[in-house]
Amino acid sequence: MMDWNNVLATRSSRMKASEIRELLKLLDQPDIISFAGGIPDPALFPAEAFKDAFSDALTTQASAALQYSVSEGYKPLRDWIAGEMGKIGIPCAAENILITSGSQQALDYLGKLMLSPKDTALVGWPTYLGALGAFNAYEPNYDRLDPKGNRAATDFAAAAEAAGGRVKFAYLSVDFANPTGETLDRAAREAVIDLADEMDIAIIEDAAYQTLRFDGEPIPPILALEIQRKGSIEACRTLYCGSFSKSLAPGLRVGWICAAHEIISRLVLMKQAADLHSSTVNQIVTHKVASTMFEPHVAKLRSTYMARRDHLLAALAREMPEGVDWTRPEGGMFVWVTLPKAMDGADLLAQSLKTERVAFVPGRAFYADGSNGNTLRLSFSCANEPQIDEGMKRLGRLIRANR
Amino acid sequence: MMDWNNVLATRSSRMKASEIRELLKLLDQPDIISFAGGIPDPALFPAEAFKDAFSDALTTQASAALQYSVSEGYKPLRDWIAGEMGKIGIPCAAENILITSGSQQALDYLGKLMLSPKDTALVGWPTYLGALGAFNAYEPNYDRLDPKGNRAATDFAAAAEAAGGRVKFAYLSVDFANPTGETLDRAAREAVIDLADEMDIAIIEDAAYQTLRFDGEPIPPILALEIQRKGSIEACRTLYCGSFSKSLAPGLRVGWICAAHEIISRLVLMKQAADLHSSTVNQIVTHKVASTMFEPHVAKLRSTYMARRDHLLAALAREMPEGVDWTRPEGGMFVWVTLPKAMDGADLLAQSLKTERVAFVPGRAFYADGSNGNTLRLSFSCANEPQIDEGMKRLGRLIRANR
């Protein structure tokens, strides 16, 4: 019998099954009202447009659509994305865009590019669970990034050195972040650039939800603010990660990295060695659908999700007992709930399985140090109004029963 | 200006642009007769079947096809693959199959799973260039695996230890290998299992061309031979990598790893962290096309490619001067040419750009140590008979001019 432990790389010890995912599997039952998912509502997918686009691609350019293609990605799609980047203050060209298999792959590649074992990544507290998962494969340490910048660069650098490596980048989800729903304000974005400039590190800007703003004033991406300071994307240290998963559909796995050409060209080599290229036909089809209907489609998503957010916030106000607090996101899919200190989100979920049958994601896993168990994430993307009303009634009851 | 070198991981120094790929870009011109590609003939893609399957998937199950899906892959496709594995002597179930984005991703994941820096991978001399590319990201050393097993396990182990790590696996492309077109005979496969058992290392069996046998007797996969010895896939150390890129189409990026469930479950976690899952719709469509027309379609590929191989071998016999040797593959896409010792394939290609305008891949890059420059790879997959006749006439002239 093979003892696989004899041949595993040291990094494999960091790849563990998520307790949450195991627990959530149990919650995938019809009588459960779920706010756990964090996935787009499939009823809103532009399915007809995709069907037509696949048919078109396989009629007019089947040989190309089914063949190997270049690692950097389909040129018309990269051109289209570069145009969209320009609209949000990031003037750039196709050579600044690498197509990835979803923005999850972008995070994996950026970790792979920069992290040697014991290096430090600065991340939010909490932060996107999937970013920690992607980076973990490269055996980093994490330090807590407060975007308001109340820790000195020298402090971060000293801590990283004591841990045996160097700070390589700051990772931030900027708009209506997963899991908190919160948006980094302009001053905080500027402060991150100041910090990164002082430390000479990269910035990974995760903009997966960027297009889903319901209200409030749009804030320029970190990369746009950095270009304002430095004149050109080629002089910038920010690596912007975008995705079609929330705006069109996640099942095609199409995302991108937008950055200085110098670093994109390195990432192209990495992608060539890792999976050659992302699906050719999916890139062609994504380009077709995006270039014909992106704006009106995303407008529809925004109005639908906004109504669900409003309904959820109203239900929370009605149903939550005193001592419970939550965020008011201006977009995206998530509300972050803070419970009284002594309560634990994971315990609450385990109880919910037996009694109230309402599902959510306990918050602890979003902290690199596993702290702050008294939190949970609610997603409003797939819930209708009666489900929200009933679900929050049950959640309120569950929390009160635990006080 | 950002100095990216300050934030790169040590592994990034191993990610370099391939000189060959740069050279081949220059050769992508209409008056050049190319045997360089190594890609399937797009005229043979089952384009109509794919078109119908996409249409069907987006009519009958659009919500699932466009949504996130599980990291291990689409269950009906995994079931179908497990059935095919059974037919070639590998009884297994869906839980033994992980869907990857092409078998290139399988190689990347297996390197990531097993290789710590300075560990040793045993590889053929020459071997698949893309395997070296994928493994390089994990900073291994390479040692030369002679499948006939004329080096002792203790010798490999001592060399790996002297290099600062341990031998983790033997990597072999088994049928009509890229680049040589050669097939590992049964005795050699058994010898590799003996060696791996003695050393307690894994075996990566790259079976990308497995379905493209034109003639000769099929030889059981290494994994099948190991199951014969040990009774069950769960007791085996072989990781079998398969692909639809050569049998159906590469542009959808669908491949798989077949192995003991214990190691597949670890790879599922790795994939979850790295890119969540391969394209949902592409897996659904691949299942549909494979389950309705795999055998007759592959039979057509075999007869077409076999005729091209026969024509190429005849042209080589007619046109090559004395002192030139080549392989006689029983399938696949490649013939490997050995030139007189003093000649160099890369020099020859550079000359060809100026004079004969015939393209091929110089052999040196397929050797982990960059040795054996007097070799080149010819692909017959995309060439028609007049191109083969004229191409070999030009190649023969070029070689004679260099003697």
Side-chain angles (χ1 to χ4, degrees):
Chain A
M1 197 79 173
M2 174 92 189
D3 182 354
W4 289 98
N5 290 314
N6 289 341
V7 296
L8 295 180
T10 57
R11 72 178 65 81
S12 296
S13 66
R14 298 274 293 257
M15 299 173 192
K16 290 193 180 127
S18 148
E19 285 170 40
I20 292 178
R21 286 184 196 265
E22 298 308 309
L23 199 51
L24 291 178
K25 278 182 193 167
L26 301 175
L27 289 168
D28 189 21
Q29 292 162 15
D31 70 320
I32 294 217
I33 300 179
S34 181
F35 302 90
I39 59 177
D41 185 345
L44 299 170
F45 290 151
E48 278 302 312
F50 273 116
K51 185 175 150 182
D52 292 347
F54 273 111
S55 177
D56 183 63
L58 290 167
T59 303
T60 62
Q61 50 176 323
S63 290
L66 297 171
Q67 187 59 286
Y68 288 113
S69 56
V70 294
S71 302
E72 47 266 52
Y74 180 57
K75 179 72 163 40
L77 180 61
R78 292 160 64 225
D79 283 335
W80 186 86
I81 292 169
E84 291 297 299
M85 295 284 92
K87 293 180 193 168
I88 55 172
I90 302 172
C92 65
E95 65 172 19
N96 300 110
I97 309 289
L98 170 73
I99 303 296
T100 58
S101 296
S103 67
Q104 186 68 30
Q105 187 177 65
L107 299 178
D108 176 50
Y109 284 4
L110 294 175
K112 191 175 183 180
L113 181 77
M114 295 188 274
L115 294 171
S116 287
K118 299 188 183 172
D119 277 341
T120 290
L122 307 183
V123 300
W125 236 248
T127 191
Y128 171 49
L129 182 55
L132 298 177
F135 301 153
N136 278 346
Y138 308 104
E139 303 171 86
N141 296 303
Y142 297 105
D143 203 349
R144 178 177 183 165
L145 178 66
D146 182 336
K148 297 292 182 187
N150 57 7
R151 271 179 71 194
T154 49
D155 182 22
F156 284 122
E161 202 178 324
R166 287 188 298 142
V167 178
K168 292 298 185 68
F169 59 76
Y171 165 81
L172 299 104
S173 185
V174 287
D175 296 307
F176 343 115
N178 181 357
T180 65
E182 288 180 324
T183 296
L184 214 59
D185 67 25
R186 183 166 180 146
R189 295 179 195 214
E190 298 279 10
V192 168
I193 301 174
D194 291 339
L195 179 75
D197 278 349
E198 190 179 344
M199 299 190 71
D200 198 16
I201 61 173
I203 299 168
I204 301 178
E205 177 172 32
D206 185 339
Y209 301 91
Q210 194 270 335
T211 47
L212 293 182
R213 174 175 283 281
F214 313 147
D215 44 23
E217 270 305 299
I219 301 168
I222 296 174
L223 180 51
L225 296 172
E226 198 186 0
I227 292 171
Q228 286 177 21
R229 293 187 188 194
K230 298 176 185 174
S232 154
I233 192 172
E234 303 304 340
C236 290
R237 59 181 72 254
T238 302
L239 304 139
Y240 179 105
C241 302
S243 174
F244 289 103
S245 292
K246 316 311 191 225
S247 55
L248 294 179
L252 278 73
R253 313 306 301 128
V254 184
W256 70 91
I257 303 173
C258 175
H261 176 64
E262 179 186 348
I263 205 70
I264 291 293
S265 65
R266 281 183 175 271
L267 289 163
V268 169
L269 296 179
M270 182 186 288
K271 185 159 176 71
Q272 190 169 86
D275 69 359
L276 301 182
H277 60 85
S278 292
S279 164
T280 316
V281 64
N282 290 9
Q283 294 184 66
I284 292 173
V285 158
T286 297
H287 170 250
K288 175 86 177 181
V289 173
S291 61
T292 51
M293 62 172 291
F294 193 79
E295 252 320 305
H297 179 71
V298 173
K300 190 175 89 177
L301 295 183
R302 281 192 285 253
S303 72
T304 308
Y305 289 146
M306 179 162 100
R308 291 175 188 170
R309 175 206 60 180
D310 291 344
H311 206 80
L312 177 61
L313 291 177
L316 282 163
R318 205 167 55 234
E319 304 290 354
M320 289 301 114
E322 199 142 323
V324 176
D325 198 10
W326 57 91
T327 57
R328 277 95 184 150
E330 294 183 328
M333 301 182 169
F334 304 108
V335 169
W336 182 247
V337 177
T338 304
L339 305 164
K341 266 266 177 275
M343 238 177 258
D344 185 272
D347 290 348
L348 216 58
L349 181 62
Q351 278 182 45
S352 185
L353 249 178
K354 294 179 201 142
T355 58
E356 296 289 356
R357 311 287 283 169
V358 58
F360 47 84
V361 179
R364 195 188 298 279
F366 296 96
Y367 292 87
D369 65 350
S371 64
N372 294 66
N374 64 320
T375 50
L376 55 90
R377 189 192 76 179
L378 299 176
S379 168
F380 51 82
S381 56
C382 291
N384 62 32
E385 300 193 350
Q387 285 167 337
I388 291 172
D389 289 338
E390 176 63 21
M392 289 309 104
K393 188 183 284 181
R394 294 185 192 183
L395 182 61
R397 209 155 54 199
L398 188 67
I399 292 172
R400 273 192 297 273
N402 273 271
R403 297 234 293 184
Chain B
M1 199 76 174
M2 175 92 189
D3 181 354
W4 289 99
N5 289 315
N6 289 340
V7 295
L8 295 180
T10 57
R11 71 178 65 81
S12 295
S13 66
R14 298 275 293 257
M15 299 173 192
K16 289 193 180 126
S18 148
E19 285 170 40
I20 292 178
R21 286 185 196 267
E22 298 309 307
L23 199 50
L24 291 178
K25 279 181 192 167
L26 301 175
L27 290 169
D28 189 20
Q29 292 163 13
D31 69 320
I32 294 218
I33 300 179
S34 180
F35 302 90
I39 59 177
D41 185 346
L44 299 171
F45 291 151
E48 278 301 312
F50 273 115
K51 184 174 153 183
D52 293 347
F54 274 111
S55 176
D56 183 64
L58 290 167
T59 304
T60 63
Q61 51 177 323
S63 291
L66 297 172
Q67 187 58 286
Y68 289 113
S69 56
V70 294
S71 303
E72 47 267 52
Y74 180 57
K75 178 73 163 39
L77 180 60
R78 291 160 64 226
D79 284 334
W80 186 86
I81 292 169
E84 292 296 299
M85 295 283 93
K87 293 180 194 168
I88 55 171
I90 302 171
C92 66
E95 65 172 19
N96 300 109
I97 309 291
L98 169 73
I99 302 296
T100 57
S101 296
S103 68
Q104 185 67 30
Q105 187 177 66
L107 299 178
D108 176 51
Y109 283 5
L110 294 174
K112 191 175 183 180
L113 181 76
M114 294 188 276
L115 293 171
S116 287
K118 298 187 181 174
D119 278 341
T120 290
L122 307 183
V123 299
W125 236 249
T127 191
Y128 170 50
L129 181 56
L132 298 178
F135 301 154
N136 279 346
Y138 308 104
E139 303 172 84
N141 296 303
Y142 297 105
D143 203 350
R144 178 177 182 163
L145 178 66
D146 182 336
K148 298 290 183 188
N150 57 5
R151 272 179 69 193
T154 48
D155 183 22
F156 284 122
E161 203 177 323
R166 287 187 298 143
V167 178
K168 291 299 184 70
F169 59 76
Y171 165 79
L172 300 104
S173 185
V174 287
D175 296 307
F176 342 114
N178 180 357
T180 65
E182 289 180 321
T183 296
L184 215 58
D185 68 24
R186 183 167 181 145
R189 295 179 195 215
E190 297 280 10
V192 168
I193 302 174
D194 290 340
L195 179 74
D197 278 349
E198 189 178 346
M199 300 189 71
D200 198 17
I201 61 173
I203 298 168
I204 301 178
E205 176 173 31
D206 185 339
Y209 300 90
Q210 194 272 333
T211 46
L212 293 183
R213 174 174 284 280
F214 312 148
D215 45 23
E217 270 306 299
I219 301 168
I222 296 175
L223 180 50
L225 296 172
E226 197 185 0
I227 291 171
Q228 285 178 21
R229 294 187 189 194
K230 299 176 184 176
S232 154
I233 192 171
E234 303 304 339
C236 289
R237 58 181 72 253
T238 302
L239 303 140
Y240 178 104
C241 302
S243 175
F244 289 103
S245 292
K246 316 309 191 227
S247 56
L248 294 180
L252 277 72
R253 312 306 302 128
V254 184
W256 69 91
I257 303 173
C258 175
H261 176 65
E262 179 186 348
I263 204 70
I264 291 292
S265 65
R266 281 183 176 272
L267 289 163
V268 170
L269 296 179
M270 181 186 288
K271 185 158 176 71
Q272 191 169 85
D275 69 0
L276 301 181
H277 60 84
S278 293
S279 165
T280 317
V281 65
N282 291 8
Q283 293 183 67
I284 292 173
V285 159
T286 297
H287 170 250
K288 176 84 176 181
V289 173
S291 61
T292 50
M293 62 173 291
F294 193 78
E295 253 319 306
H297 179 70
V298 172
K300 191 174 90 178
L301 295 183
R302 281 192 286 253
S303 73
T304 307
Y305 290 145
M306 180 163 99
R308 292 176 187 171
R309 175 206 62 180
D310 290 344
H311 206 81
L312 177 62
L313 291 177
L316 281 163
R318 204 167 55 234
E319 304 291 353
M320 289 301 114
E322 199 142 325
V324 176
D325 199 10
W326 58 91
T327 57
R328 276 97 184 148
E330 294 184 328
M333 300 182 169
F334 304 108
V335 169
W336 182 247
V337 177
T338 303
L339 305 164
K341 266 265 178 277
M343 238 178 257
D344 186 90
D347 291 347
L348 215 59
L349 181 61
Q351 277 183 46
S352 184
L353 250 177
K354 294 179 201 142
T355 59
E356 296 289 356
R357 311 287 283 169
V358 59
F360 48 83
V361 179
R364 195 188 299 278
F366 296 96
Y367 292 87
D369 65 351
S371 64
N372 293 66
N374 63 322
T375 50
L376 56 89
R377 190 192 76 179
L378 299 176
S379 168
F380 51 82
S381 56
C382 291
N384 62 32
E385 300 192 351
Q387 285 167 337
I388 290 172
D389 290 338
E390 175 63 21
M392 288 309 103
K393 187 183 286 182
R394 294 186 191 182
L395 182 61
R397 209 154 54 198
L398 188 66
I399 292 172
R400 272 193 297 273
N402 274 271
R403 296 236 291 182

